[in-house]
Structures are given as structure tokens and as C-alpha cells.
Amino acid sequence: MVNLSSPPADGKRYPTHRMFKPVVMLAFALSVGCSPHSQRSQTANDPPMLDEIKSVIASHFGRTADSIDPNATFAELGGDDLDLVEITMDVEDKLKLTIRDERLVAETGSASANGICERLTVAGFARVASTAPESKQSSVDSKPHSSGELYESQIGPYGELSVLPNPNEFELVFIPDFADVQRFRAEEMGRDLTDSEIEELRAKSVVIALPADVAAKMSR
């Protein structure tokens, strides 16, 4: 063992505090940076409902909640506008909320579905959800009917709902209007869409099944 109190071989004494002080400061800095208090200060800034939102998103993408980065956008997670609609509906159903489109627009600064996907983070979605009003009870059955037929107020992509049997002659109403969806996509791409691109976009766009008279009122 080295005797720090004895003088070195050259007979000179070196102040041990010059070496000891930096070591103490480094150890202190490391202990502060790794302390539980430091971790708590980071999570304290998380928006309310973040854990619930991460759980819903993880379930949708078949991942674990821990793997969902709060700062990741829906696009970075591999989602598109249809994923956003489905996740929003799941969140509304599980948390009994009503999430308004205008709140998502305000959070991201984009009015297009693709723009929202590219800018909306998981934490941002949690902020919107935490301020959303509670949903009102609805008498409409939101579960798919066992018959496989199109039913009133059913929501989904046009490509899927348009091929379902429709004995009640419900009309499929785009949400938002398909003309707006097409215009937003053209603006993002900086050019007119080709016919095949329009058909692909139409198939993925969200619609709701409504009686003809209700659909007519909405169009007016």
C-alpha cells in the first residue's frame, strides 16, 4: 500500500488536494447525473396520459410501450393517415374522449392528414388527449355486425367499406371531403396526382356510412 503521508523519492511534497478535488467533483457529477431524482425531473415534464397513449399506439403497431419514443412522430413510427384515424378512434373509445381535428391541426400547424402524421409526436398527441372533452354516450353500435354487411355510422377506409354488402343503401361520406384530401396531397407533392395515385388515395381515405338523407344534409 502506498503511504500518501510519506514524501516521494525526490524529497518534494505535492499537495494531494490538487489530485483529490477533481476526482471528488467527477464522482459528484456522475452521482447527480445518475440519481433517481434526475430521472424523476425528466418524467415530471411528460404530458398527462402519455403512458395510456403509448400503450394504445404500441398495441396498434404490435410493439411494447417501452419501445415507443414520446418524441417520435407517427410517420417515424411507420404510421400513415389511416393509422392516425384508427389510433385516434381507439384512444377515444378506451379513454372515453372526443378528440377534435382542429386540436391536432393546432398542435402540428398542418391541416393535411399526411402533414399531421409527419409532425405529430406521441407526446403531442398525449397533450391533445389530455385536454380533450369526455365523449358522450352514443346509442350507435360501434362494433362490426356479425352479418358482414355495411352498417350505419361504420367508419373505415373507402377501399374496405365500399366492397361490403349494402342492402340498406348507405352512402359513404369521406372524412374530410375527398376533394380536400386530394388537394392536400397534391400540394404536398407539388404537382397534380395521376389517376392511379387518386384511386390509391381514395381507397385509403376514411369514410363513414350514413343514410342517404343524412349524407345529403352533410353535403349541403
Side-chain angles (χ1 to χ4, degrees):
M1 179 179 295
V2 178
N3 186 354
L4 297 178
S5 62
S6 61
D10 59 5
K12 297 180 180 179
R13 291 185 177 273
Y14 296 91
T16 57
H17 70 275
R18 292 185 179 178
M19 295 179 291
F20 182 70
K21 186 175 181 180
V23 173
V24 172
M25 292 179 65
L26 177 60
F28 177 76
L30 290 175
S31 66
V32 171
C34 299
S35 67
H37 176 75
S38 176
Q39 294 176 359
R40 284 196 300 271
S41 66
Q42 293 175 2
T43 58
N45 294 326
D46 290 339
M49 295 189 179
L50 179 60
D51 289 341
E52 293 89 336
I53 298 301
K54 287 173 60 177
S55 178
V56 173
I57 294 175
S59 176
H60 180 84
F61 289 114
R63 299 168 57 173
T64 63
D66 290 340
S67 70
I68 303 297
D69 181 0
N71 296 317
T73 65
F74 277 74
E76 290 171 342
L77 293 173
D80 57 18
D81 50 351
L82 180 56
D83 290 307
L84 177 58
V85 170
E86 292 176 347
I87 289 172
T88 300
M89 293 173 60
D90 286 343
V91 169
E92 290 180 323
D93 181 57
K94 293 179 180 179
L95 302 182
K96 308 305 179 186
L97 303 173
T98 299
I99 297 177
R100 306 293 186 187
D101 291 343
E102 56 266 26
R103 291 289 293 110
L104 297 176
V105 171
E107 175 68 29
T108 60
S110 175
S112 71
N114 280 342
I116 291 175
C117 286
E118 292 173 356
R119 300 181 185 182
L120 183 64
T121 64
V122 176
F125 190 85
R127 280 192 293 272
V128 172
S130 67
T131 59
E134 293 184 2
S135 59
K136 297 180 180 179
Q137 294 293 331
S138 175
S139 60
V140 177
D141 182 8
S142 61
K143 297 181 179 179
H145 291 191
S146 58
S147 65
E149 296 177 352
L150 189 69
Y151 60 90
E152 184 176 352
S153 297
Q154 186 173 359
I155 297 175
Y158 175 82
E160 294 181 11
L161 269 59
S162 61
V163 298
L164 295 179
N166 186 13
N168 295 308
E169 298 183 350
F170 293 124
E171 292 192 14
L172 298 179
V173 179
F174 286 90
I175 311 172
D177 186 81
F178 184 68
D180 292 331
V181 174
Q182 184 176 341
R183 177 167 55 83
F184 289 144
R185 181 61 61 88
E187 290 176 354
E188 291 176 349
M189 300 183 68
R191 60 174 176 80
D192 293 336
L193 303 180
T194 64
D195 291 342
S196 61
E197 289 173 334
I198 292 175
E199 290 308 310
E200 180 182 359
L201 181 61
R202 186 190 307 275
K204 294 175 58 178
S205 296
V206 178
V207 294
I208 182 171
L210 297 174
D213 59 335
V214 177
K217 291 179 180 178
M218 288 187 63
S219 64
R220 290 197 295 268

